[in-house]
Amino acid sequence: MFSLMRVFGLLLIYFYSQVGAVTFKEFPPQIVKESIEVQIPCSHDDNAKLQMLWYQQKKDSQSMTLIGFVYGQGSPTYEGQFEQQFKLTKEETTKGKLIIRSANPSDSAVYFCAATDNNAQPAYFGQGTKLTVLEKDHATKKPTVKVLPPSTKECRNKINPDKRKKTLLCVASEFYPDHVKVSWEVNGAKRVVGVATDNQASRPGSGANYKITSRLRVPAEEWFNPNNKFECIVNFYDGTATEDIKKIKYGVEAPDTGNTMNKETYLRKSQIGKLAYGVLITKSFVYGAFVMLVVWKLQGSSGKRNN
């Protein structure tokens, strides 16, 4: 029996995808109804890799489970009870299939095909094929998308205004199943820097629809420009076709912080300044005259005493 621990040891050290001597052909994801037979193909370009392995990775799991393998054109070897649900076939050295005899929602997962010379050699992995088995009475539904503008209170950096940032939030909700990808564009150009998207779509419970969020963080001066266009693009696959659902949010005018003045305000403040200056000059003149009067009186009194 093939050692599961040994396989995981190889997996941790030699996880390759389309590198080195092996290039795997990519196959599209599948969305199927319950109780039907599902075939997931595998194809690569290295005839020297005689052993083909299959793994299953369930959602919310960080590890993969070995289903089984086929060496050369021999009979398949399965781990545990997988033979009851799965069937492994090989048409030739570089081509094979994983067959799910009667799919049910618990089979929803990403299935990886790997190739190696033998158990002691590196295993090379493909990108994986995502399979979703639709839950009973739950039809596919495309997402509702909306983009929320940044908070007006976000990041008021008074020490370093150049580092002020604003965050736009894209929310895609009420979709099923979870075959979505989210991306951002600014003025028609793809934006990667400052983008943070949920690792995967989430749902509140079984039977509910999915939701995913993505955030775009941009410099404040970029947001405070009505000519800038921020676009969230949600790519949704319903099993037969892919659709892009887009939502746009435009930048806004910078808020009035009270530091700018129009002509009327400027003239009014100028007049107030001139009046204040005039009052100050008048007070200074009066004070000077008073001081001179006091000095004159003191001098007059001193002269009388001397006589």
Side-chain angles (χ1 to χ4, degrees), residues 3 22 24 27 105 109 132 137 148-149 157 176 198 212 219 274 277:
S3 171
V22 185
F24 284 83
F27 292 94
T132 296
D137 300 325
L148 304 179
N157 194 330
Y176 181 83
D198 297 344
I212 192 169
K274 290 178 181 179
Y277 181 73

Side-chain angles (χ1 to χ4, degrees), residues 1-259:
M1 179 67 67
F2 195 76
S3 171
L4 181 58
M5 184 175 294
R6 192 172 188 179
V7 170
F8 278 114
L10 292 173
L11 174 62
L12 292 174
I13 301 173
Y14 303 109
F15 194 100
Y16 297 96
S17 174
Q18 295 186 354
V19 297
V22 185
T23 299
F24 284 83
K25 179 180 178 180
E26 291 189 43
F27 292 94
Q30 295 190 40
I31 299 176
V32 301
K33 293 182 179 181
E34 194 173 0
S35 301
I36 71 168
E37 180 182 279
V38 178
Q39 297 187 10
I40 300 176
C42 175
S43 177
H44 62 82
D45 63 353
D46 192 342
N47 290 313
K49 300 295 183 285
L50 300 178
Q51 186 163 282
M52 184 173 287
L53 308 95
W54 286 93
Y55 293 85
Q56 179 192 66
Q57 184 177 33
K58 292 289 190 72
K59 189 174 182 179
D60 300 323
S61 175
Q62 298 299 317
S63 61
M64 294 188 291
T65 303
L66 176 67
I67 296 172
F69 69 93
V70 182
Y71 187 85
Q73 299 300 119
S75 299
T77 300
Y78 298 90
E79 288 289 328
Q81 303 298 314
F82 282 120
E83 186 174 2
Q84 299 177 6
Q85 179 66 2
F86 299 95
K87 179 182 178 182
L88 306 182
T89 65
K90 280 188 75 177
E91 303 168 19
E92 51 188 86
T93 303
T94 61
K95 292 183 180 180
K97 289 180 182 178
L98 169 69
I99 300 173
I100 304 176
R101 302 179 190 276
S102 179
N104 61 73
S106 65
D107 293 320
S108 296
V110 179
Y111 291 89
F112 292 91
C113 172
T116 183
D117 295 337
N118 53 61
N119 299 348
Q121 297 299 316
Y124 296 82
F125 284 73
Q127 293 283 354
T129 299
K130 183 174 182 177
L131 169 70
T132 296
V133 182
L134 297 174
E135 296 168 354
K136 189 175 181 181
D137 300 325
H138 206 147
T140 59
K141 183 181 179 182
K142 69 180 183 180
T144 298
V145 181
K146 59 183 178 180
V147 176
L148 304 179
S151 167
T152 56
K153 298 181 180 180
E154 183 183 15
C155 198
R156 293 178 175 176
N157 194 330
K158 296 181 179 179
I159 298 176
N160 193 344
D162 293 337
K163 292 187 177 181
R164 292 176 182 172
K165 299 286 186 178
K166 289 294 183 181
T167 304
L168 291 88
L169 176 65
C170 180
V171 181
S173 60
E174 294 301 317
F175 59 90
Y176 181 83
D178 60 336
H179 289 245
V180 293
K181 295 179 182 178
V182 184
S183 60
W184 287 89
E185 288 185 1
V186 178
N187 297 328
K190 186 174 182 179
R191 180 65 62 89
V192 177
V193 177
V195 174
T197 304
D198 297 344
N199 292 329
Q200 59 185 15
S202 61
R203 64 196 308 199
S206 178
N209 291 324
Y210 285 92
K211 175 183 178 181
I212 192 169
T213 63
S214 181
R215 290 149 292 283
L216 173 63
R217 193 166 170 80
V218 300
E221 60 268 21
E222 192 171 27
W223 170 247
F224 291 129
N225 185 343
N227 296 321
N228 286 337
K229 181 177 71 173
F230 305 90
E231 189 171 20
C232 176
I233 305 169
V234 179
N235 180 277
F236 177 68
Y237 178 67
D238 64 3
T240 57
T242 299
E243 181 179 358
D244 286 339
I245 298 94
K246 304 178 180 181
K247 282 295 178 179
I248 296 173
K249 185 70 68 175
Y250 286 93
V252 298
E253 293 282 357
D256 184 2
T257 60
N259 295 325

